[in-house]
Amino acid sequence: LSGLALTMDPASILWLLYLVMCVDCFMPYPTKVQLIQRKESQQWYINFPSAMAQAMDFEKGEVMEWSIHDKRHLILARPEAPPDPIALKKTLRSSKS
């Protein structure tokens, strides 16, 4: 957590302990791209593993925004996200060596 200042309440501490104990939350989940081919159209799908959706507190019908970073990375933005359970404040690192 170098470069971050933490301000935590008891609920945030419990959430952090849960995340530390939940190693699966930080492991990648391989997901296959699915395609439904119709006569005049194509529909592409990428599903979220349940563990990831639950960790993110997704709601049915939530709107997400995809953007392309490069050929290897997509960015999924969540315009209406719930607040983070842990308040993190980024600080600039000192250039002292």
Side-chain angles (χ1 to χ4, degrees), residues 15-91:
W15 180 250
L16 181 60
L17 288 173
Y18 166 77
L19 290 177
V20 169
M21 293 169 52
C22 178
V23 176
D24 288 342
C25 294
F26 301 105
M27 299 192 60
Y29 285 88
T31 303
K32 290 192 177 196
V33 175
Q34 299 176 36
L35 170 63
I36 295 178
Q37 185 74 44
R38 296 189 176 93
K39 288 182 181 180
E40 297 182 21
S41 67
Q42 297 177 335
Q43 186 73 46
W44 298 82
Y45 293 92
I46 300 175
N47 293 312
F48 276 91
S50 181
M52 291 184 76
Q54 290 173 8
M56 293 293 294
D57 293 325
F58 284 159
E59 300 271 337
K60 180 180 177 180
E62 239 184 293
V63 175
M64 303 288 181
E65 298 173 351
W66 288 99
S67 58
I68 299 171
H69 178 70
D70 57 35
K71 292 283 186 180
R72 295 186 64 194
H73 301 94
L74 295 171
I75 298 171
L76 180 63
R78 189 180 192 188
E80 302 292 326
D84 290 327
I86 299 173
L88 295 176
K89 181 179 178 184
K90 293 183 180 181
T91 58

Side-chain angles (χ1 to χ4, degrees), residues 5-20:
L6 294 175
T7 56
M8 297 172 56
D9 59 22
S12 297
I13 293 170
L14 289 174
W15 180 250
L16 181 60
L17 288 173
Y18 166 77
L19 290 177
V20 169

